[in-house]
Amino acid sequence: TETVQPTIPPPGTFHYARTFGPLKDDSILWIASCTKLLTSIAALQCVERGLLNLDDDVSDILHEFRELQLLDGHLLTHTSGLAYDHLAPSLARWQKSRGRRIGQGKTVQEKYAYPLLYEPGSAWSYGAGIDWAGLMVERVNACSLAEYMEAPQLDERCQRALMRVMRDPEVNDMMGGLPLGVEKNWGLAGLLLMEDVEGGRRKGAMSWGGLPNLVWWIDREAGLCGLYGTQILPVGDLRSVQMCQLFEREMYDRFNKSKPRL
Protein backbone atom coordinates (compact mmCIF):
# COMPACT_ATOMS: atom_id res chain seq x y z
CA THR A 1 0.00 0.00 0.00
CA GLU A 2 1.31 3.44 -0.98
CA THR A 3 -0.13 6.39 0.90
CA VAL A 4 0.68 9.98 1.79
CA GLN A 5 -1.31 11.55 4.62
CA PRO A 6 -0.51 15.18 5.50
CA THR A 7 -2.53 17.75 7.45
CA ILE A 8 -1.59 21.44 7.41
CA PRO A 9 -3.09 23.43 10.34
CA PRO A 10 -2.25 27.02 11.27
CA PRO A 11 1.43 27.56 12.21
CA GLY A 12 2.34 26.49 15.72
CA THR A 13 -0.51 24.01 16.17
CA PHE A 14 -1.21 20.40 15.32
CA HIS A 15 0.64 18.90 12.33
CA TYR A 16 0.90 15.35 11.07
CA ALA A 17 2.53 13.95 7.92
CA ARG A 18 3.65 10.40 7.22
CA THR A 19 4.22 8.19 4.20
CA PHE A 20 4.11 4.42 3.80
CA GLY A 21 5.65 2.13 1.20
CA PRO A 22 8.03 3.57 -1.42
CA LEU A 23 6.46 7.05 -1.32
CA LYS A 24 8.25 9.98 0.33
CA ASP A 25 6.92 13.24 1.75
CA ASP A 26 7.84 15.00 -1.50
CA SER A 27 6.52 12.31 -3.85
CA ILE A 28 4.37 13.55 -6.72
CA LEU A 29 0.89 12.01 -6.81
CA TRP A 30 -1.72 11.98 -9.54
CA ILE A 31 -4.47 13.76 -7.62
CA ALA A 32 -7.18 13.61 -10.30
CA SER A 33 -10.38 15.42 -9.19
CA CYS A 34 -8.69 16.97 -6.15
CA THR A 35 -7.73 19.70 -8.65
CA LYS A 36 -11.38 20.74 -8.81
CA LEU A 37 -10.91 22.62 -5.54
CA LEU A 38 -8.24 24.84 -7.09
CA THR A 39 -10.29 25.42 -10.23
CA SER A 40 -13.32 26.40 -8.16
CA ILE A 41 -11.28 28.85 -6.10
CA ALA A 42 -9.96 30.42 -9.29
CA ALA A 43 -13.49 30.77 -10.68
CA LEU A 44 -14.64 32.48 -7.48
CA GLN A 45 -11.77 34.94 -7.73
CA CYS A 46 -13.16 35.85 -11.15
CA VAL A 47 -16.57 36.40 -9.51
CA GLU A 48 -15.10 38.77 -6.93
CA ARG A 49 -13.26 40.72 -9.60
CA GLY A 50 -16.43 41.06 -11.66
CA LEU A 51 -15.11 38.93 -14.51
CA LEU A 52 -17.72 36.21 -13.97
CA ASN A 53 -21.20 36.12 -12.49
CA LEU A 54 -22.72 32.90 -11.15
CA ASP A 55 -26.09 33.84 -12.65
CA ASP A 56 -24.77 34.76 -16.13
CA ASP A 57 -25.19 32.66 -19.25
CA VAL A 58 -21.86 30.91 -19.89
CA SER A 59 -22.13 31.34 -23.67
CA ASP A 60 -20.71 34.86 -23.47
CA ILE A 61 -17.38 33.22 -22.62
CA LEU A 62 -17.94 29.57 -23.57
CA HIS A 63 -19.11 30.02 -27.15
CA GLU A 64 -19.44 26.22 -27.36
CA PHE A 65 -22.71 26.55 -25.39
CA ARG A 66 -24.42 29.24 -27.51
CA GLU A 67 -27.53 27.11 -28.03
CA LEU A 68 -28.07 26.35 -24.32
CA GLN A 69 -29.26 28.34 -21.28
CA LEU A 70 -26.48 27.34 -18.92
CA LEU A 71 -25.34 29.49 -15.96
CA ASP A 72 -21.84 29.84 -14.51
CA GLY A 73 -23.08 28.57 -11.14
CA HIS A 74 -24.41 25.35 -12.70
CA LEU A 75 -20.87 24.42 -13.74
CA LEU A 76 -19.49 24.73 -10.19
CA THR A 77 -22.32 22.83 -8.49
CA HIS A 78 -22.60 19.88 -10.91
CA THR A 79 -26.15 20.90 -11.82
CA SER A 80 -25.39 21.82 -15.45
CA GLY A 81 -26.56 18.56 -17.01
CA LEU A 82 -22.99 17.70 -17.94
CA ALA A 83 -21.64 14.35 -16.77
CA TYR A 84 -18.59 12.18 -17.38
CA ASP A 85 -19.11 9.67 -20.16
CA HIS A 86 -17.52 6.89 -18.08
CA LEU A 87 -20.19 7.43 -15.39
CA ALA A 88 -23.21 7.86 -17.70
CA PRO A 89 -24.10 4.84 -19.89
CA SER A 90 -26.19 7.01 -22.24
CA LEU A 91 -23.20 9.26 -22.95
CA ALA A 92 -20.96 6.23 -23.45
CA ARG A 93 -23.42 4.97 -26.06
CA TRP A 94 -23.54 8.41 -27.67
CA GLN A 95 -19.75 8.46 -27.91
CA LYS A 96 -19.68 4.97 -29.40
CA SER A 97 -22.33 5.90 -31.98
CA ARG A 98 -19.92 8.54 -33.27
CA GLY A 99 -16.95 6.26 -33.35
CA ARG A 100 -15.37 7.80 -30.26
CA ARG A 101 -13.87 6.13 -27.23
CA ILE A 102 -14.85 7.04 -23.66
CA GLY A 103 -12.66 9.91 -22.48
CA GLN A 104 -11.23 10.51 -25.95
CA GLY A 105 -9.62 13.88 -26.52
CA LYS A 106 -6.83 16.04 -25.12
CA THR A 107 -8.63 19.34 -24.47
CA VAL A 108 -11.82 20.18 -22.58
CA GLN A 109 -13.55 20.92 -25.88
CA GLU A 110 -12.46 17.61 -27.40
CA LYS A 111 -13.27 15.45 -24.36
CA TYR A 112 -16.47 16.97 -23.00
CA ALA A 113 -18.43 18.35 -25.97
CA TYR A 114 -21.43 16.04 -25.66
CA PRO A 115 -25.17 16.42 -24.87
CA LEU A 116 -26.60 17.40 -21.51
CA LEU A 117 -28.35 14.70 -19.49
CA TYR A 118 -31.07 17.05 -18.19
CA GLU A 119 -32.18 20.67 -18.09
CA PRO A 120 -29.59 22.80 -16.24
CA GLY A 121 -30.52 23.38 -12.60
CA SER A 122 -33.00 20.50 -12.39
CA ALA A 123 -30.79 17.68 -10.97
CA TRP A 124 -27.26 16.77 -9.89
CA SER A 125 -24.65 14.65 -11.65
CA TYR A 126 -20.89 14.45 -11.24
CA GLY A 127 -19.22 15.57 -14.41
CA ALA A 128 -17.16 17.99 -16.43
CA GLY A 129 -18.76 21.25 -15.31
CA ILE A 130 -15.71 22.38 -13.37
CA ASP A 131 -13.50 21.42 -16.30
CA TRP A 132 -15.48 23.90 -18.41
CA ALA A 133 -15.34 26.44 -15.55
CA GLY A 134 -11.57 26.08 -15.69
CA LEU A 135 -11.69 27.00 -19.37
CA MET A 136 -13.69 30.10 -18.45
CA VAL A 137 -11.02 31.03 -15.93
CA GLU A 138 -8.38 30.66 -18.60
CA ARG A 139 -10.32 32.88 -20.97
CA VAL A 140 -10.77 35.71 -18.47
CA ASN A 141 -7.30 35.35 -16.88
CA ALA A 142 -8.45 34.70 -13.29
CA CYS A 143 -6.70 33.98 -9.96
CA SER A 144 -7.72 31.96 -6.90
CA LEU A 145 -9.91 32.78 -3.89
CA ALA A 146 -11.19 30.67 -0.94
CA GLU A 147 -13.63 32.89 0.98
CA TYR A 148 -16.83 31.84 -0.76
CA MET A 149 -16.32 28.10 -0.80
CA GLU A 150 -18.40 27.04 2.20
CA ALA A 151 -21.86 28.40 1.44
CA PRO A 152 -24.34 25.67 0.36
CA GLN A 153 -25.18 26.19 -3.31
CA LEU A 154 -27.95 23.68 -4.04
CA ASP A 155 -31.66 24.39 -3.86
CA GLU A 156 -33.93 21.79 -2.25
CA ARG A 157 -34.52 19.84 -5.46
CA CYS A 158 -30.83 19.61 -6.38
CA GLN A 159 -29.87 18.74 -2.81
CA ARG A 160 -32.35 15.84 -2.85
CA ALA A 161 -30.72 14.62 -6.06
CA LEU A 162 -27.29 14.85 -4.44
CA MET A 163 -28.47 12.96 -1.35
CA ARG A 164 -29.90 10.19 -3.56
CA VAL A 165 -26.53 9.84 -5.27
CA MET A 166 -24.59 9.87 -1.98
CA ARG A 167 -26.87 7.22 -0.41
CA ASP A 168 -25.35 4.69 -2.80
CA PRO A 169 -22.75 2.89 -0.63
CA GLU A 170 -20.43 2.46 -3.60
CA VAL A 171 -20.48 6.18 -4.44
CA ASN A 172 -20.18 7.07 -0.75
CA ASP A 173 -17.09 4.86 -0.43
CA MET A 174 -15.51 6.78 -3.30
CA MET A 175 -15.47 9.79 -0.97
CA GLY A 176 -13.93 8.12 2.05
CA GLY A 177 -17.00 6.40 3.48
CA LEU A 178 -18.90 9.23 5.19
CA PRO A 179 -21.87 8.21 7.35
CA LEU A 180 -24.70 7.47 4.90
CA GLY A 181 -27.39 9.24 6.90
CA VAL A 182 -25.56 12.55 7.39
CA GLU A 183 -27.16 15.47 5.53
CA LYS A 184 -24.99 16.81 2.72
CA ASN A 185 -25.02 19.72 0.28
CA TRP A 186 -22.63 21.06 -2.33
CA GLY A 187 -20.62 24.28 -2.08
CA LEU A 188 -18.72 26.00 -4.87
CA ALA A 189 -15.75 23.67 -4.51
CA GLY A 190 -16.80 20.41 -2.86
CA LEU A 191 -19.21 18.36 -0.75
CA LEU A 192 -20.50 20.06 2.41
CA LEU A 193 -21.58 18.37 5.63
CA MET A 194 -24.74 19.97 6.98
CA GLU A 195 -24.43 18.41 10.45
CA ASP A 196 -21.68 17.25 12.79
CA VAL A 197 -20.20 13.76 12.57
CA GLU A 198 -19.56 12.29 16.01
CA GLY A 199 -15.84 12.24 16.75
CA GLY A 200 -15.02 13.77 13.35
CA ARG A 201 -15.95 16.52 10.97
CA ARG A 202 -18.07 19.45 12.06
CA LYS A 203 -21.03 20.99 10.28
CA GLY A 204 -19.80 23.04 7.30
CA ALA A 205 -16.75 20.88 6.64
CA MET A 206 -15.96 20.58 2.93
CA SER A 207 -14.46 17.58 1.19
CA TRP A 208 -13.93 15.81 -2.11
CA GLY A 209 -11.22 13.65 -3.61
CA GLY A 210 -9.60 12.11 -6.66
CA LEU A 211 -9.88 8.89 -8.66
CA PRO A 212 -6.94 6.86 -7.18
CA ASN A 213 -8.56 6.95 -3.69
CA LEU A 214 -7.57 10.41 -2.52
CA VAL A 215 -9.77 12.33 -0.07
CA TRP A 216 -9.26 15.87 1.23
CA TRP A 217 -11.29 17.78 3.78
CA ILE A 218 -11.29 21.30 5.23
CA ASP A 219 -12.99 21.70 8.61
CA ARG A 220 -12.79 25.37 9.56
CA GLU A 221 -15.06 24.95 12.58
CA ALA A 222 -12.73 22.37 14.12
CA GLY A 223 -9.59 24.04 12.77
CA LEU A 224 -8.34 20.92 10.99
CA CYS A 225 -7.76 19.98 7.36
CA GLY A 226 -6.33 16.81 5.89
CA LEU A 227 -5.50 14.81 2.81
CA TYR A 228 -5.50 11.03 2.58
CA GLY A 229 -3.73 9.96 -0.59
CA THR A 230 -3.09 6.69 -2.39
CA GLN A 231 -2.37 5.71 -5.99
CA ILE A 232 -4.66 2.67 -5.83
CA LEU A 233 -7.48 1.70 -8.18
CA PRO A 234 -10.37 1.07 -8.38
CA VAL A 235 -11.88 4.12 -6.73
CA GLY A 236 -13.77 3.13 -3.57
CA ASP A 237 -11.38 0.24 -2.84
CA LEU A 238 -12.68 -1.15 0.47
CA ARG A 239 -9.27 -1.33 2.13
CA SER A 240 -8.54 2.26 1.13
CA VAL A 241 -11.91 3.40 2.50
CA GLN A 242 -11.21 1.70 5.83
CA MET A 243 -7.72 3.23 6.02
CA CYS A 244 -9.08 6.68 5.18
CA GLN A 245 -11.69 6.43 7.94
CA LEU A 246 -9.04 5.26 10.41
CA PHE A 247 -6.71 8.10 9.39
CA GLU A 248 -9.42 10.73 9.81
CA ARG A 249 -10.55 9.45 13.22
CA GLU A 250 -6.94 9.31 14.42
CA MET A 251 -6.23 12.85 13.21
CA TYR A 252 -9.25 14.28 15.04
CA ASP A 253 -8.29 12.35 18.16
CA ARG A 254 -4.68 13.57 18.10
CA PHE A 255 -5.75 17.09 17.22
CA ASN A 256 -8.20 17.27 20.12
CA LYS A 257 -5.59 15.88 22.53
CA SER A 258 -3.08 18.51 21.32
CA LYS A 259 -5.32 21.42 22.40
CA PRO A 260 -4.30 23.20 25.65
CA ARG A 261 -6.40 22.11 28.62
CA LEU A 262 -8.15 24.96 30.44
Side-chain angles (χ1 to χ4, degrees), residues 215-251:
V215 176
W216 59 261
W217 81 89
I218 300 171
D219 188 343
R220 292 185 63 183
E221 183 68 25
L224 182 66
C225 64
L227 169 67
Y228 173 86
T230 82
Q231 297 290 272
I232 296 172
L233 292 174
V235 61
D237 171 75
L238 180 59
R239 181 67 170 171
S240 295
V241 172
Q242 293 170 339
M243 292 297 292
C244 181
Q245 293 171 332
L246 177 62
F247 166 64
E248 184 175 333
R249 288 196 301 269
E250 182 69 14
M251 290 305 98

Side-chain angles (χ1 to χ4, degrees), residues 43-243:
L44 291 173
Q45 176 67 56
C46 293
V47 171
E48 187 185 58
R49 296 171 61 198
L51 300 175
L52 295 176
N53 187 310
L54 297 178
D55 296 319
D56 281 353
D57 192 314
V58 303
S59 63
D60 292 339
I61 299 169
L62 295 178
H63 310 305
E64 296 85 350
F65 292 98
R66 279 179 178 154
E67 304 302 319
L68 302 173
Q69 288 188 319
L70 183 60
L71 305 182
D72 296 8
H74 290 146
L75 296 177
L76 295 179
T77 58
H78 295 294
T79 57
S80 64
L82 293 165
Y84 286 129
D85 52 6
H86 66 278
L87 297 177
S90 59
L91 290 180
R93 292 192 296 269
W94 185 88
Q95 293 278 57
K96 184 178 180 180
S97 72
R98 284 156 178 75
R100 290 173 52 85
R101 301 185 310 276
I102 291 178
Q104 181 177 332
K106 295 183 178 180
T107 66
V108 171
Q109 299 96 314
E110 291 174 353
K111 292 183 69 173
Y112 304 129
Y114 35 61
L116 304 184
L117 292 182
Y118 49 80
E119 180 181 352
S122 65
W124 189 92
S125 59
Y126 188 57
I130 296 178
D131 298 84
W132 283 104
L135 185 58
M136 296 182 74
V137 171
E138 293 176 354
R139 291 180 179 178
V140 298
N141 192 27
C143 300
S144 61
L145 179 69
E147 280 76 7
Y148 287 24
M149 288 189 292
E150 291 197 344
Q153 295 297 313
L154 305 186
D155 62 21
E156 186 176 348
R157 178 170 57 175
C158 291
Q159 185 184 10
R160 286 199 302 269
L162 169 65
M163 291 295 290
R164 285 196 298 270
V165 172
M166 295 303 296
R167 278 198 293 268
D168 184 329
E170 185 175 348
V171 174
N172 190 65
D173 283 349
M174 292 180 185
M175 297 317 308
L178 293 168
L180 289 173
V182 173
E183 183 182 0
K184 305 173 183 71
N185 206 304
W186 191 269
L188 292 176
L191 188 72
L192 286 173
L193 285 186
M194 303 308 294
E195 56 184 291
D196 292 346
V197 174
E198 185 177 357
R201 301 181 205 178
R202 306 285 290 277
K203 179 180 178 180
M206 176 173 283
S207 65
W208 199 239
L211 188 66
N213 289 289
L214 298 101
V215 176
W216 59 261
W217 81 89
I218 300 171
D219 188 343
R220 292 185 63 183
E221 183 68 25
L224 182 66
C225 64
L227 169 67
Y228 173 86
T230 82
Q231 297 290 272
I232 296 172
L233 292 174
V235 61
D237 171 75
L238 180 59
R239 181 67 170 171
S240 295
V241 172
Q242 293 170 339
M243 292 297 292

